[in-house]
Amino acid sequence: MKNVRCAKCIRCGKEYEALPGLTTCECGGILDIRYNYDYIRSVFSREALADCDDFSMWRYRPLLPVEPDSPAPPLRVGWSPLYKADALAKVLGLRTLYLKDDGLNPTASLKDRASAMAVVKAMEAGAKTIACSSTGNAASSLAGNAAAAGLETYIFVPSRAPKGKVAQLMIFGAHVISVEGSYEDTFELSKAAIDRWGWYNRNAAINPYLSEGKKTVTLEILEQLHWRAPDYVALSVGDGCTIAGAWKGLKDLYALGFIDHLPRLISVQATGCCPLNRSLQTGEPWQPMAEDTLADSIAVGVPRNADKALAAVRESGGVAVNVSDEEILEAMRLIGRTCGVFGEPAGVTGTAGVKKALELGLIDPEATVVSIVTGNGLKDTQNGIRAAGEPMSVRPDMDALLAVFEAQGLKP
Amino acid sequence: MKNVRCAKCIRCGKEYEALPGLTTCECGGILDIRYNYDYIRSVFSREALADCDDFSMWRYRPLLPVEPDSPAPPLRVGWSPLYKADALAKVLGLRTLYLKDDGLNPTASLKDRASAMAVVKAMEAGAKTIACSSTGNAASSLAGNAAAAGLETYIFVPSRAPKGKVAQLMIFGAHVISVEGSYEDTFELSKAAIDRWGWYNRNAAINPYLSEGKKTVTLEILEQLHWRAPDYVALSVGDGCTIAGAWKGLKDLYALGFIDHLPRLISVQATGCCPLNRSLQTGEPWQPMAEDTLADSIAVGVPRNADKALAAVRESGGVAVNVSDEEILEAMRLIGRTCGVFGEPAGVTGTAGVKKALELGLIDPEATVVSIVTGNGLKDTQNGIRAAGEPMSVRPDMDALLAVFEAQGLKP
């Protein structure tokens, strides 16, 4: 990998050769992949991209830590649509809003970007089995991407994970272990099992390659915006890996001179589980919190990638904002009605945060904001129903229909 | 529309000007849009397509019945991935199999292709409201595509429609009427309401433009295969509109000289609801049937587009094959485990039919087959769970994990 310089511990600074099986530093710190931007500039440009006909995350291969001859895995991950959300912007009182629908990835979440990367690195490492713990989306994305590539998976999920997500990974043929405990319990059991059996590790905060997969979401956004950097990028935050990856992508583009300024991050957590935002807001070190939110994908009381996430938001001059479960459900309705996009609760939390940040005067209404919908609402229809309510029920009869319309105050 | 000649009744042959509000012929027959292929050939070629950077169904605009200046609707529909499914082909004993994952459309089914077309035609007609009846996918796709375009929707669904699909369209802000009756009852009530209030009609067998949207699925498949026509295209059949649309796309390409032969269709229905296949198999006129299958999207006892569907399969020299619910669930597992694709029951029925057709010796194992996955499994997780089973449940403890692995016969 001529484009990669090393993996560097973000805590103690120790550098490692970028071997495919890397996990954390011996000091326990998280590793960060460092690039040789001079080399990358010599082989990669905005013009080269314009001619690239690979419309997947692998169009950014010169910026990804994979061997040049490693095949891309079978599922088509990335190049999700970026919609200009004028109707929603109007409702929110914002000048310009874009929505990136990453729920349109193969297993319906942004996590496919990390799992596709995990599959490539596992194959480079010669592994036949990959394992992870996950609140759900990392799990199903790993199961799907690994199944398509012919790899076996062991997946640990907390027992609260929504049925839809579990069904998805069972269908993909994963060995699924539902852990009767918190996300933290689930993570620890997966760690012990991975140590015991030597499986390839797809836990995002442990494996430094995964946020490099995730960063493709911001690479795409900027290319889709023709390299005009927005003022803000908003997204929901759980473990911290996704926002760290998003920031890494932006910094890469800035280092290469593809964009002329860095957007600021809007870090959105649920009021009932906001350990990272609490730290950002108070300036104190982060502390574990209860996992009290319906947005299961970001209900992470002990974030595993706190260091990278906090550094990202601070470096960007970012904004931290918390939203209630009711505000999350309201964002589901708003995005559905105005954009035709159905996001899962954690998937719309970024947008709920944009609304809240505007209400609190934390961001300028004249700004240009990109909000990332990180997962599809079909993964959690129970909360979809909770947000949207039940349909009108009628007998198959015109008089019954008229009566129901009248009762609802509908005048077609 | 210089590319469109007229709309012609497939029953009596009467021709109509292709106005946006067209429904059925005065004789009750279904209309078919007829093109001016000489004109299309003068403005459209395989080479022109190779330079087109619109990766959505609208890349085939010269073959679509829309005004040149009609804007494409906001959601990005089409250009879903076509996967070469070698592992699955091996399991089935087939030389070459491709899987088209149309569950990756914005609202997670092939029906987005028809609904996007409906939105364009409704806007051309100056309508503000669109209505339809549907087993679910047409409904959610209409709701999503219309919401993104700022149009209002009234949607009639049978009360058996899965919760996930209903949640989706409620989120999109549709007025949803759940009809306590069969699909037939639902259809008739929607028809009466559409007549009464003059809404734009998105019932697929009534509105001749919708199968023109659906045909983009085969246009894409052939372009993705670099214009090498496969021997067979397999898909599930309910109302008959989708297979009719798929055939129309193939015939268009053949008429233009883009492909050198026409593939044969494999029409797959559920054993418990197969009125069209029964007609194909017996040569008798079709008769209504009960709607006895878990594949809700194709549980259509009174198919509304029987004429076009039967003609398509017969013209193609096609194959009709029925599959049991158990075979459908087995196909869900097979596709999930080998391809990393999660299809809804009706979405995998085409592939279940390929397996069955091979077992029955109806198709040659040396053939090249394309099977279309018409909808995402996340729309119906109840049947996903039914197909895949429940995960292993353990306490957060290594000894408990070892005990469960041993009980399951797992040796990691």
Side-chain angles (χ1 to χ4, degrees), chain A residues 112-380:
Chain A
D112 280 334
R113 299 176 186 273
S115 292
M117 177 61 73
V119 165
V120 174
K121 298 311 285 183
M123 293 184 105
E124 286 180 2
K128 300 268 176 275
T129 304
I130 315 184
C132 77
S133 71
S134 161
T135 50
N137 284 332
S140 48
S141 73
L142 175 61
N145 282 278
L151 297 173
E152 204 162 359
T153 49
Y154 282 82
I155 289 172
F156 297 75
V157 297
S159 51
R160 68 146 195 268
K163 290 261 181 189
K165 296 185 181 181
V166 175
Q168 200 183 7
L169 53 103
M170 294 293 294
I171 285 284
F172 293 144
H175 303 297
V176 185
I177 300 102
S178 170
V179 180
E180 297 153 9
S182 68
Y183 178 67
E184 174 68 6
D185 295 330
T186 307
F187 186 90
E188 291 299 336
L189 185 61
S190 78
K191 194 164 171 291
I194 288 166
D195 285 349
R196 183 178 186 117
W197 286 292
W199 300 324
Y200 190 82
N201 190 332
R202 188 247 176 266
N203 282 323
I206 301 293
N207 182 326
Y209 295 106
L210 304 187
S211 57
E212 304 300 314
K214 289 180 174 184
K215 80 181 177 189
T216 58
V217 71
T218 40
L219 302 181
E220 280 175 25
I221 288 169
L222 271 291
E223 186 179 2
Q224 288 168 322
L225 290 175
H226 308 288
W227 312 110
R228 286 188 299 270
D231 300 304
Y232 292 95
V233 174
L235 66 171
S236 58
V237 176
D239 230 359
C241 297
T242 303
I243 199 164
W247 182 238
K248 183 69 173 285
L250 296 170
K251 283 202 303 180
D252 279 351
L253 295 177
Y254 187 68
L256 291 174
F258 283 27
I259 55 175
D260 65 5
H261 73 274
L262 283 163
R264 298 165 70 184
L265 297 173
I266 304 177
S267 162
V268 192
Q269 295 206 289
T271 311
C273 188
C274 57
L276 295 175
N277 276 359
R278 198 167 59 174
S279 169
L280 291 165
Q281 286 159 339
T282 61
E284 301 287 315
W286 72 270
Q287 297 289 335
M289 274 188 82
E291 296 174 351
D292 182 17
T293 170
L294 57 75
D296 68 287
S297 300
I298 53 164
V300 183
V302 181
R304 288 282 155 185
N305 214 338
D307 292 351
K308 268 194 190 176
L310 293 173
V313 183
R314 288 185 179 127
E315 257 181 73
S316 81
V319 172
V321 59
N322 300 320
V323 292
S324 68
D325 281 359
E326 188 38 60
E327 288 167 327
I328 291 171
L329 295 175
E330 170 64 15
M332 285 177 76
R333 289 188 291 266
L334 260 178
I335 295 175
R337 273 153 209 234
T338 56
C339 307
V341 170
F342 182 19
E344 67 165 319
V348 303
T349 297
T351 308
V354 173
K355 183 168 184 287
K356 190 72 171 283
L358 284 162
E359 287 162 6
L360 297 174
L362 297 174
I363 62 174
D364 180 355
E366 295 299 309
T368 295
V369 180
V370 177
S371 184
I372 304 171
V373 177
T374 52
N376 199 308
L378 289 172
K379 294 201 165 218
D380 182 6

Side-chain angles (χ1 to χ4, degrees), chain B residues 209-296:
Chain B
Y209 295 106
L210 304 187
S211 56
E212 304 300 314
K214 289 181 173 182
K215 82 181 176 190
T216 57
V217 72
T218 39
L219 302 181
E220 280 176 24
I221 288 169
L222 272 292
E223 186 179 0
Q224 288 168 322
L225 290 175
H226 307 287
W227 312 111
R228 287 189 297 271
D231 300 304
Y232 293 95
V233 174
L235 67 172
S236 57
V237 176
D239 230 358
C241 296
T242 303
I243 199 164
W247 182 238
K248 184 69 173 285
L250 296 170
K251 282 201 303 179
D252 279 351
L253 295 176
Y254 188 67
L256 291 174
F258 282 27
I259 54 176
D260 65 5
H261 73 273
L262 283 163
R264 299 165 70 183
L265 297 174
I266 304 177
S267 162
V268 192
Q269 294 205 289
T271 312
C273 188
C274 57
L276 294 175
N277 276 358
R278 196 168 59 176
S279 169
L280 290 164
Q281 287 158 339
T282 61
E284 301 286 316
W286 72 271
Q287 297 289 334
M289 274 187 81
E291 297 174 350
D292 182 18
T293 170
L294 57 75
D296 70 286

Side-chain angles (χ1 to χ4, degrees), chain A residues 55 74-76 79 83 144 148 164 170 172 175-180 199 339-340 381 390 392-396 410 412, chain B residues 55 74-76 79 83 144 148 164 170 172 175-180 199 339-340 381 388 390 392-396 410 412:
Chain A
F55 289 97
L75 295 184
R76 187 186 76 183
W79 204 255
Y83 297 126
M170 294 293 294
F172 293 144
H175 303 297
V176 185
I177 300 102
S178 170
V179 180
E180 297 153 9
W199 300 324
C339 307
T381 51
E390 296 281 348
M392 299 170 252
S393 186
V394 299
R395 280 177 288 109
L410 271 175
Chain B
F55 289 96
L75 294 184
R76 187 185 76 183
W79 204 255
Y83 297 126
M170 293 294 293
F172 292 144
H175 303 297
V176 185
I177 300 102
S178 170
V179 179
E180 297 152 10
W199 300 324
C339 307
T381 50
E390 297 281 347
M392 298 171 251
S393 187
V394 301
R395 280 177 290 111
L410 271 175

